Amino acid sequence: MGAQIIDGKARAARIRENVAEAVARLGTGHGLTPGLAVVLVGEDPASQVYVRNKARQTVEVGMRSFEHRLPAETDEAELLDLVARLNADPAVHGILVQLPLPPHIDATRVIDAINPDKDVDGFHVVNAGRLMVGLDGMVPCTPLGCLVLIRDVMSDISGAEAVVVGRSNIVGKPMGQLLLRENATVTIAHSRTRDLPDVCRRADILVAAVGRPEMIRSDWIKPGAVVIDVGINRVPAPERGAGKSRLVGDVAFAEAAEVAGAITPVPGGVGPMTIACLLANTVTAACRLHGLPVPPDLLSS
Ligand code: NDP
């Protein structure tokens, strides 16, 4: 195995330390405690785990956590009403509505109701626009975490060929924008892309955000490339016993690690970075809402 294995778990722990220090400074210097509200509608088991982890880590770094668990039959008007109350609540600096929402609720309408300055997920159309035109906004947590990992292992992203596979609004598109902002030459590939292996082979930086287990093979990877695997896919693992499963990424990790220069594992790569960046975004939002400077070292190593 030749590649450097990028330890997202350790890097996320470092960000949480930075955040905890910043939160302590805001408390002593300004009497300000950043607060994150997380809204969960329904009983989706994966969402429940995410929400629990977010709340626990929020408290661990010294911030206030406000959890709102609503039944699956909650209607859109009730949810919009809660969002309006959270927008108006001065103790709440970040609002996150856990996706997916039940099918009878229009997720776009709900996200668009969040005050963009409290939209710590960075999904509001205003924040997507700010990222596109190069203004300070809230940057979606998963691509932000990916960028931190890429910066750690690449001294100069400028001029590099970057290929992002996947064009979702929450990962692929903002990832492309962030890499463009770093002066990479960016290609965003998707399900209609022709000759995807050929496109991937051009990449100095390859980000996979597809949701297809181990789709990207070693012969799609340029030797020495930085490979960031966003995918989280649960696959059967009969070798662990009947009915058991395991998590794999969108990249065939073992064979890709023979070719890449650096690569993220799944689990333990991008996953932990997402919540760490959410906490950092909440501090950023709290500072901006109070007219305070944003600590420059939140994401530093
Ligand atoms: P979406 O399903 O919204 O988007 C998937 C993208 O992959 C689409 O743009 C789709 O193309 C493209 N795609 C699908 N099949 C192919 C194919 N055969 N070849 C090329 N492109 C293809 O997924 P998300 O962006 O929300 O998530 C992607 C993955 O990342 C998932 O595994 C998800 O679980 C994981 N994830 C991980 C996070 C983390 O914290 N680590 C956070 C968020 C997501 P098209 O647009 O043409 O349909």
Side-chain angles (χ1 to χ4, degrees), residues 142 165-168 170-172 189-192 196 209-212 215 230-233 250 270-271 274:
T142 299
V165 190
R167 57 172 163 180
S168 72
I170 63 172
V171 188
H190 45 78
S191 66
R192 313 291 173 87
L196 184 60
V210 186
R212 300 205 177 256
M215 182 183 86
V230 182
I232 302 177
N233 309 288
D250 292 339
V270 173
T274 298

Side-chain angles (χ1 to χ4, degrees), residues 252-295:
F253 178 79
E255 59 177 68
E258 302 287 341
V259 181
I263 186 168
T264 58
V266 176
V270 173
M273 295 295 286
T274 298
I275 300 186
C277 290
L278 171 71
L279 302 175
N281 275 355
T282 305
V283 172
T284 299
C287 291
R288 290 195 185 136
L289 285 161
H290 285 263
L292 297 169
V294 176

Side-chain angles (χ1 to χ4, degrees), residues 164-184:
V164 179
V165 190
R167 57 172 163 180
S168 72
N169 289 336
I170 63 172
V171 188
K173 282 182 198 157
M175 186 75 247
Q177 289 297 334
L178 284 173
L179 288 163
L180 192 58
R181 200 172 77 176
E182 299 286 324
N183 298 317

Side-chain angles (χ1 to χ4, degrees), residues 122-191:
F123 294 167
H124 194 289
V125 69
V126 165
N127 283 316
R130 285 171 176 160
L131 179 59
M132 174 88 118
V133 300
L135 292 174
D136 281 342
M138 301 310 306
V139 176
C141 307
T142 299
L144 181 58
C146 294
L147 183 65
V148 169
L149 297 178
I150 295 166
R151 276 197 190 131
D152 282 353
V153 294
M154 268 185 106
S155 51
D156 194 8
I157 299 175
S158 181
E161 286 275 351
V163 174
V164 179
V165 190
R167 57 172 163 180
S168 72
N169 289 336
I170 63 172
V171 188
K173 282 182 198 157
M175 186 75 247
Q177 289 297 334
L178 284 173
L179 288 163
L180 192 58
R181 200 172 77 176
E182 299 286 324
N183 298 317
T185 302
V186 179
T187 302
I188 301 184
H190 45 78
S191 66

